[in-house]
Amino acid sequence: MANPTPAQIQQYIAAGLPCDHLEVEGDGEHFFATIVSAEFEGKTRIGRHQRVYQALGDRMRAEIHALSMKTLTPAEWATQAPKA
């Protein structure tokens, strides 16, 4: 089975989790995702990561070998976004 692309990982996450912003980078084995979702409100970092793993389902075990992520609420994202 071919390694997934960053675009595929992005599609997998977006299909299972409503996101205000979603960006995935990677080389086919190691991925880094920036995920902004209102569903993260009131959740700990672990709870947020578990929600992303839930969206990815079995792909996390079968296709994706390493995924680092930055999970933010829309309010947290607004404070980090560069000002124009």
Side-chain angles (χ1 to χ4, degrees):
M1 178 185 300
N3 289 337
T5 65
Q8 287 173 312
I9 302 296
Q10 189 166 333
Q11 290 172 350
Y12 298 156
I13 294 170
L17 177 68
C19 299
D20 289 23
H21 176 83
L22 176 58
E23 184 178 341
V24 180
E25 301 170 4
D27 60 9
E29 290 189 21
H30 302 92
F31 297 95
F32 178 78
T34 301
I35 307 162
V36 180
S37 176
E39 287 201 20
F40 297 149
E41 295 284 349
K43 287 187 168 58
T44 64
R45 187 171 77 175
I46 292 171
R48 295 173 182 197
H49 288 201
Q50 288 172 334
R51 180 62 185 92
V52 175
Y53 295 145
Q54 179 185 19
L56 290 168
D58 289 338
R59 290 183 177 102
M60 203 55 219
R61 286 184 291 281
E63 297 176 43
I64 304 164
H65 302 293
L67 174 65
S68 298
M69 61 186 109
K70 183 178 197 177
T71 53
L72 302 164
T73 65
E76 292 166 341
W77 174 250
T79 65
Q80 292 193 13
K83 305 296 181 230

